[in-house]
Amino acid sequence: MTELLSRVHLAPPLAVIVDCSDPDMNASAVCARIRANTKPEAMVVSLVNTANGGDGHRLAASTVDCIIHRPFNPERLLAFLRGLRADVAAQSSTQTPTILRYADIEMNLGRLRVERDGHPVLLSALQFRLLLCLMRAPDVVHTRDDLIAAAWPPDAEVEPRTVDIHIGHIRRAMKRAGADVIRTVRSVGYALYLPSH
């Protein structure tokens, strides 16, 4: 673990894939340590065995961005990783970064940064993608299925409650610099909303 953490500081990764198939491993603690020691935009991906009782449920949703159940098609994992690399290449080749604004929120897509009233808002890569979905159409109520499609890989098994947990993290991070900007529409989903906007 020490070697891994020192390596992520030397060369910040786009993603860290953690094999969480050992039943004696405290997967949530390991993933939480990796999450704490990587940049917010780095994805933490967990590999779990479906055959031994669905050990993916031991993972706290806040510690991983994606859970991949074995057996899985390696081509799909490679396509997912190539997509991450392509996203970064596209962002770095852009001359002027795209900036989305809503009320006092500014989202810089080129630098993968979010600010609220001039204060940085720290989000994981997955939370960044969830907020991006909301920022692109702030007045639209996005269902949990919409948010899952926007933020997770196509083959990921995501429970609606996982979306709620990540939205809760975004909400808390945003409230450090202002009023609650995320509106919950019961049994439907989420939208951005400020009464003064």
Side-chain angles (χ1 to χ4, degrees):
M1 175 62 87
T2 306
E3 182 183 351
L4 169 66
L5 297 179
S6 66
R7 285 180 184 267
V8 299
H9 284 294
L10 290 174
L14 297 177
V16 177
I17 300 173
V18 184
D19 186 350
C20 297
S21 57
D22 182 351
D24 298 325
M25 174 185 187
N26 185 340
S28 281
V30 169
C31 292
R33 279 192 71 194
I34 292 168
R35 162 76 67 229
N37 286 277
T38 54
K39 290 189 172 184
E41 58 268 22
M43 289 196 72
V44 178
V45 180
S46 166
L47 299 179
V48 299
N49 289 333
T50 314
N52 67 3
D55 55 357
H57 296 295
R58 294 183 295 123
L59 290 163
S62 61
T63 63
V64 294
D65 295 300
C66 177
I67 297 173
I68 299 176
H69 293 268
R70 285 192 179 102
F72 63 90
N73 182 341
E75 276 303 312
R76 290 184 178 164
L77 177 60
L78 290 173
F80 168 65
L81 294 174
R82 283 187 204 108
L84 284 177
R85 192 173 63 190
D87 287 347
V88 170
Q91 288 162 5
S92 63
S93 68
T94 306
Q95 299 291 338
T96 54
T98 303
I99 296 177
L100 299 176
R101 290 183 179 88
Y102 178 81
D104 59 353
I105 303 167
E106 182 174 287
M107 188 171 211
N108 186 318
L109 304 184
R111 295 178 61 208
L112 298 175
R113 286 185 56 102
V114 177
E115 291 186 355
R116 176 113 196 247
D117 196 23
H119 301 283
V121 177
L122 300 178
L123 300 174
S124 71
L126 185 138
Q127 292 158 7
F128 186 91
R129 290 191 301 277
L130 284 170
L131 181 61
L132 176 60
C133 182
L134 296 174
M135 289 284 288
R136 284 187 167 148
D139 299 322
V140 172
V141 177
H142 301 270
T143 67
R144 288 166 180 82
D145 287 339
D146 294 338
L147 294 168
I148 289 168
W152 276 271
D155 298 329
E157 296 177 25
V158 182
E159 294 292 325
R161 178 73 183 128
T162 303
V163 176
D164 299 339
I165 290 167
H166 284 287
I167 291 290
H169 288 296
I170 297 169
R171 180 176 268 142
R172 283 189 293 280
M174 294 292 231
K175 284 173 71 175
R176 291 188 185 112
D180 189 3
V181 71
I182 299 176
R183 178 170 66 105
T184 303
V185 180
R186 191 174 174 87
S187 300
V188 180
Y190 299 94
L192 295 183
Y193 175 74
L194 272 181
S196 60
H197 193 273

